[in-house]
Amino acid sequence: MDPIAFDIAHMFAGGLVLVSFLLLYQDRLYALLNMFAVQALVLALSVSWQAYIQQAPHLYITAVITLIFKGIVIPYALHRIVARLGIHREVEVVVGAVPTMVAGIALVALSMVVMLRVTQHADALAREDLAFALSVVLLGLLMMVTRNNAVSQVVGFMSLENGLILAATGAKGMPLVVEISIGFSVLIALIVVGIFLFRIRERFDSVDVQALDESRGKGR
Amino acid sequence: MPEIHLVGVAALLTLSVIVLLAGRGRNLTLVVYGCALVISLVLCGGATMRLLMQSPPSSLALPIGLPWLGAHFRIDALSSFFLAIINFGGAAASLYGLGYGRHEREPLRVLPFFPAFLAGMNVVLMADDAFTFLLSWEFMSLASWSLVMAHHREADNIRAGLVNIVMAGIGAFALLLAFGVLAGPDGFYAFADMRTHAPAPLAAAAVLALVLFGAGSKAGLVPLHVWLPLAHPAAPSHVSALMSGVMTKVAVYAFIRVAFDLLGPPAWWWGVPVLILGAATAVIGVLFALVHTDLKRILAYSTIENIGIIFVALGLSLGFLASGFAAAAALAMTAALFHVLNHSLFKSLLFFGAGAVITATGSREIGQLGGLLNRMPATGLFMLVGCAAISALPPLNGFASEWLAFQAILLSPSLPSWALKLLTPAAGAMLALAAALAGACFVRLFGIAFLGRPRTITSAKAVEVDRFSLTAMGGLACLCLLAGIFPGQVIDALAPVARATTGAAMHPQAAMPWLSIAPIAESRSSYDGLLVFVFIVSSALLAAFIVHRLASNALRRAPAWDCGFPDADPITQYSAESFAQPVRRVFSSFAFRARAQVDMPPPGDLRPASYTVEWVDLSWAVFYRPVVAAVAKMAYWMNRMQYLTIRQYLSLVFAALVFLLLVLASWA
């Protein structure tokens, strides 16, 4: 393979991991949503680069879907939700930034070790791609675990899903229908979550999921 | 040849389904047991023919079951022997059920499961891959559980069913693991592949332990026996006969199949745990048989004892085989198989007799019976034959097989390993103790229930049972006698099985003069069942003649009006508890933890005096209570998992994922 093409693909995938770290670091909601849009943009670039080097035109469709839904529609919708809920000033700290960052670095190291060891016989590009994709998935999960605000958890979930798309495009021969259906399932998840957020807010005057636990009577 | 058997199995299953669909017909009982009788007889005949003609193994693969595996069936000498036994037991139980089944209050709780139970046992014996084996094993367990729960409204039966199904599940799980280890990382689930891939020594040890656990829990090895005396008596009597006489044999088959066939050449120590467990099982089983007063529970505990005897012989066979004494291994194996046959005969007979007693008197407590021999002479005679056979009295079959087992034990000084050399005589001593106690146990059972005078009105008014039941019992009693008089023929019939499992066989016995048998050499020891039979019959006739001729005519002086019974109240007769009391005392510390309490009111107090005895099965306290407590504690602890927050749940998933990745990363 052309070393330049490989390096560029490598760069985009690495960029996705970097943006995941930025997401982890953000504790304000608007900044978080903007960063999520940036991640979607990087993902769209990465996917279209894959489409170019694999000569797989259907991946362009995936890239466009990613860009439109994740880069524009979802961040815009979440922006409006945050504005209407009036929680744009909220700052949340459950786990401090430094421990989160350290945990994130450890997770990236772990996924590198696992993936490079497991995929010894795959081609180099797929190996790197899978390792980065697993890092993004783990960082997304870490974000869901370390945040209390429902909106941040949704963003964590969606960034996790970005990692899946990255893995899927890195592996050759993934049918288009799978990617499209993943895209739509995320959109539906957004709608459900949006409705849910308003319902939670109606009930509890907060989108802090701890309010749910208190209402349930935690640790009975 | 497996085709014919599979057709029979399919017929049995169809019968079950038809009963389920047909619901209540008037002659349903007759139809079901009649069809089951015919099918079982055909299958038994086929299997016996194969055994006697020494046909080579034949196998069959059907494209059902797991997609890449299919279902493999194979009938070799070992399977045909056990097929003959279980189908004969099935036929006898069906014949008995033709009469006994009419007393069933809710026949639809029994009828659909009876043929299914028979079918399940048949498939276990034919299975030639792990999947088919485990599937049919579980099917058999479930069918037997349904039959145990047939009388679910009676007290204690729910608990019996629960313990039964829990133990069956654990046992099947152990077998599953055993087959998993046998199949190895490449997944050779067909037995044919397992035979060619002998596992490494450590894996073989694990398989042996697991199969001892799995098959032992079904067979009733101590301490896995606790479900058996609860569940076997809970079923209707002909099903109890099947479970005790036949289903435990399927478990023995599973052990032989794995330990002698699939597991490759044995190591010297394999026999040791089998011997120890077998000897402990024999003694503990008969001790409890001796103290219980419930007729069917006594029989169930005696099943445990007999399983112990069989396992001692099997352990001995393993020991001899590992030391290269193929002929001695064949002798021990033949003893085990002979005892399998005998136990299936006389245990079925005794359970049928117990069913007849229950039908006639409505009671299972032997303390409420008495004098039944006068009211039910035929049942009494057959029970007497069964009791004598299970007590290993010559000339009946129980003596022949136990004698063979002792002959094998007497060969133990030639073993090279000191552990076996010292252990085997100890196991032999335990067997001798068990045999003596079994004699006491069945003297007590027969004496209390059938001799003396009736203790209750119901037993005084008992009437003889129907012809079908009597035919089934009579046939089995005749077979007990025949197998005892012609042991040489039975041993010769077992030769192909012994050859298939141990690579050698006992030398032909049928050629010996006067029907005698000599397992090792005629100069060393020989036994002639016919001679003993003739001697016993002639001396008994002579004694009877002399007593009637001389003693009856002699002048006797006695009180005038009490007809030989100085005390009129039948309750003053020797009771079941009093008969068991010496044994209960002697063994109270380590086997029973028995506590007797005498409550003697002081003079002037009007309340009645009482004498209560309590005892527990120590294996409950030692093996089961701690496990139950640990499970309860863990369940309580796990209960907290119900009340985590969303984030904590997510963290759990996350931690599990990271943990698995770490395992993957650190994998060599």
Side-chain angles (χ1 to χ4, degrees):
Chain A
M1 190 191 293
D2 191 1
I4 296 288
F6 176 79
D7 284 345
I8 293 178
H10 208 157
M11 180 191 77
F12 280 133
L16 209 60
V17 177
L18 193 66
V19 180
S20 285
F21 271 103
L22 292 178
L23 272 176
L24 264 187
Y25 185 72
Q26 303 301 329
D27 52 5
R28 289 185 184 264
L29 286 178
Y30 279 156
L32 189 72
L33 293 178
N34 294 340
M35 211 39 78
F36 177 66
V38 171
Q39 194 186 31
L41 180 68
V42 176
L43 179 67
L45 285 175
S46 165
V47 171
S48 44
W49 184 252
Q50 290 280 357
Y52 172 65
I53 59 174
Q54 288 181 20
Q55 273 132 31
H58 68 265
L59 285 185
Y60 286 119
I61 303 178
T62 311
V64 172
I65 291 175
T66 306
L67 191 64
I68 293 177
F69 282 146
K70 294 208 177 143
I72 300 167
V73 177
I74 292 176
Y76 177 68
L78 284 177
H79 256 279
R80 286 201 48 186
I81 289 176
V82 169
R84 278 188 55 190
L85 291 174
I87 52 174
H88 56 280
R89 287 183 202 280
E90 282 190 16
V91 175
E92 50 168 2
V93 245
V94 176
V95 184
V98 176
T100 316
M101 284 293 155
V102 171
I105 292 167
L107 287 177
V108 173
L110 175 67
S111 61
M112 290 291 165
V113 171
V114 169
M115 273 305 166
L116 295 187
R117 180 180 285 235
V118 170
T119 58
Q120 266 169 8
H121 305 294
D123 73 298
L125 180 59
R127 288 177 73 190
E128 294 290 342
D129 226 29
L130 283 176
F132 283 128
L134 184 61
S135 310
V136 175
V137 168
L138 288 180
L139 290 176
L141 257 177
L142 181 65
M143 181 155 166
M144 290 179 76
V145 169
T146 53
R147 299 296 175 106
N148 256 343
N149 190 306
V151 174
S152 338
Q153 287 193 344
V154 169
V155 170
F157 172 71
M158 302 227 168
S159 84
L160 180 156
E161 200 270 335
N162 284 345
L164 290 183
I165 297 246
L166 181 66
T169 53
K172 279 179 196 164
M174 177 76 132
L176 177 65
V177 62
V178 175
E179 285 156 28
I180 292 181
S181 57
I182 289 178
F184 274 107
S185 69
V186 168
L187 198 66
I188 290 168
L190 174 82
I191 295 168
V192 173
V193 165
I195 294 171
F196 236 62
L197 277 178
F198 281 104
R199 301 288 300 182
I200 294 172
R201 164 72 171 212
E202 239 171 62
R203 256 313 123 97
F204 301 110
D205 285 335
S206 162
V207 286
D208 192 328
V209 289
Q210 268 180 354
L212 290 180
D213 301 330
E214 277 154 24
S215 136
R216 200 179 54 163
K218 165 176 121 186
R220 227 172 320 170
Chain B
M1 185 62 198
E3 291 88 342
I4 300 177
H5 268 85
L6 284 176
V7 169
V9 168
L12 286 171
L13 287 177
T14 318
L15 192 59
S16 292
V17 175
I18 288 176
V19 177
L20 276 180
L21 294 180
R24 52 199 85 241
R26 290 196 61 188
N27 292 322
L28 207 55
T29 307
L30 283 180
V31 171
V32 169
Y33 290 122
C35 290
L37 173 64
V38 172
I39 298 171
S40 300
L41 275 181
V42 169
L43 294 183
C44 172
T48 317
M49 289 286 284
R50 278 188 68 85
L51 192 64
L52 293 180
M53 288 162 58
Q54 312 205 354
S55 321
S58 62
S59 49
L60 172 74
L62 292 183
I64 49 177
L66 289 187
W68 61 93
L69 184 65
H72 298 259
F73 299 99
R74 181 166 179 268
I75 300 187
D76 56 4
L78 184 63
S79 327
S80 25
F81 170 66
F82 278 92
L83 276 173
I85 284 190
I86 64 154
N87 283 310
F88 185 77
S94 307
L95 180 60
Y96 182 79
L98 279 174
Y100 183 78
R102 278 183 295 199
H103 306 294
E104 190 65 49
R105 273 157 302 164
E106 294 174 286
L108 280 179
R109 290 195 177 278
V110 178
L111 291 181
F113 304 114
F114 184 80
F117 183 38
L118 289 177
M121 290 194 289
N122 267 302
V123 182
V124 172
L125 299 180
M126 284 190 285
D128 198 35
D129 64 75
F131 181 75
T132 314
F133 186 95
L134 287 171
L135 193 71
S136 46
W137 179 273
E138 284 289 55
F139 185 78
M140 169 185 89
S141 296
L142 276 181
S144 72
W145 175 77
S146 319
L147 289 164
V148 167
M149 295 301 285
H151 298 161
H152 63 107
R153 285 185 219 290
E154 281 169 31
D156 293 343
N157 280 9
I158 297 277
R159 174 162 177 265
L162 179 68
V163 177
N164 179 5
I165 201 155
V166 168
M167 290 303 289
I170 296 175
F173 187 64
L175 279 183
L176 177 75
L177 292 180
F179 282 122
V181 177
L182 268 178
D186 299 321
F188 292 119
Y189 285 105
F191 286 175
D193 294 329
M194 290 183 190
R195 280 185 195 102
T196 52
H197 296 83
L202 206 62
V207 171
L208 187 75
L210 285 168
V211 80
L212 257 183
F213 191 97
S217 73
K218 186 59 77 186
L221 278 187
V222 169
L224 304 166
H225 66 286
V226 289
W227 67 276
L228 196 146
L230 296 175
H232 286 194
S237 291
H238 57 305
V239 180
S240 307
L242 270 187
M243 292 177 73
S244 252
V246 174
M247 189 172 71
T248 52
K249 306 305 173 294
V250 178
V252 172
Y253 164 82
F255 179 76
I256 297 179
R257 175 62 75 195
V258 174
F260 285 84
D261 188 13
L262 304 180
L263 207 45
W268 69 268
W269 58 267
W270 285 11
V272 174
V274 185
L275 263 180
I276 294 176
L277 281 178
T281 304
V283 172
I284 290 182
V286 75
L287 281 178
F288 279 98
L290 199 42
V291 295
H292 273 281
T293 57
D294 179 322
L295 186 52
K296 286 172 84 174
R297 191 155 292 175
I298 295 173
L299 295 178
Y301 271 113
S302 138
T303 295
I304 297 172
E305 180 230 338
N306 282 281
I307 288 296
I309 296 172
I310 292 168
F311 269 83
V312 165
L314 288 178
L316 210 54
S317 185
L318 272 178
F320 281 126
L321 199 58
S323 315
F325 294 99
L331 169 60
M333 176 54 88
T334 309
L337 295 173
F338 198 176
H339 203 69
V340 163
L341 168 69
N342 292 340
H343 183 244
S344 79
L345 292 178
F346 49 60
K347 191 48 61 75
S348 299
L349 168 59
L350 289 170
F351 265 114
F352 292 167
V357 168
I358 292 168
T359 311
T361 65
S363 173
R364 277 163 45 173
E365 281 294 319
I366 55 173
Q368 297 183 354
L369 307 174
L372 288 179
L373 193 57
N374 297 321
R375 307 288 311 178
M376 312 168 70
T379 304
L381 176 67
F382 299 144
M383 279 293 267
L384 182 61
V385 173
C387 289
I390 202 168
S391 311
L393 295 184
L396 294 162
N397 56 353
F399 177 79
S401 54
E402 290 198 29
W403 184 75
L404 279 185
F406 278 108
Q407 293 304 315
I409 286 171
L410 291 178
L411 283 178
S412 65
S414 59
L415 280 167
S417 110
W418 276 100
L420 277 173
K421 208 184 272 194
L422 295 176
L423 192 63
T424 313
M430 299 282 267
L431 274 201
L433 174 67
L437 289 175
C441 168
F442 283 93
V443 164
R444 168 174 174 261
L445 188 150
F446 190 80
I448 302 288
F450 284 88
L451 303 181
R453 284 175 295 155
R455 291 179 176 79
T456 53
I457 299 173
T458 47
S459 58
K461 290 183 176 167
V463 285
E464 189 60 276
V465 289
D466 57 283
R467 296 247 171 86
F468 287 119
S469 309
L470 287 180
T471 313
M473 287 189 273
L476 286 173
C478 284
L479 279 175
C480 283
L481 187 62
L482 284 179
I485 297 179
F486 302 104
Q489 276 67 17
V490 180
I491 292 173
D492 288 349
L494 293 177
V497 190
R499 200 170 293 121
T501 46
T502 62
M506 292 171 61
H507 54 86
Q509 306 284 335
M512 304 273 300
W514 293 102
L515 297 174
S516 62
I517 55 171
I520 305 150
E522 209 168 347
S523 59
R524 190 157 170 167
S525 56
S526 66
Y527 164 68
D528 190 332
L530 184 63
L531 197 64
V532 174
F533 179 59
V534 168
F535 173 73
I536 289 179
V537 169
S538 54
S539 58
L541 286 178
L542 191 65
F545 176 77
I546 291 173
V547 166
H548 272 271
R549 237 327 131 76
L550 304 179
S552 306
N553 289 350
L555 181 67
R556 285 181 295 170
R557 290 192 181 278
W561 302 110
D562 64 17
C563 304
F565 290 104
D567 183 64
D569 194 350
I571 217 78
T572 57
Q573 296 176 98
Y574 220 65
S575 75
E577 285 86 359
S578 52
F579 202 106
Q581 197 231 18
V583 172
R584 203 171 54 222
R585 282 238 168 130
V586 171
F587 294 98
S588 74
S589 56
F590 79 90
F592 305 126
R593 275 196 194 156
R595 292 168 59 85
Q597 201 165 15
V598 182
D599 179 26
M600 185 66 78
D605 196 341
L606 291 181
R607 74 196 152 89
S610 71
Y611 176 78
T612 48
V613 185
E614 291 178 340
W615 72 86
V616 287
D617 193 336
L618 263 193
S619 44
W620 273 111
V622 176
F623 295 99
Y624 292 89
R625 292 267 150 69
V627 175
V628 170
V631 167
K633 202 169 178 182
M634 258 172 62
Y636 179 77
W637 188 75
M638 298 280 276
N639 200 24
R640 289 191 213 165
M641 305 279 278
Q642 297 287 331
Y643 301 108
L644 296 185
T645 65
I646 297 175
R647 249 189 57 230
Q648 281 164 321
Y649 282 126
L650 276 176
S651 312
L652 276 184
V653 174
F654 186 56
L657 180 63
V658 170
F659 172 74
L660 289 178
L661 287 175
L662 278 174
V663 170
L664 198 60
S666 57
W667 200 264

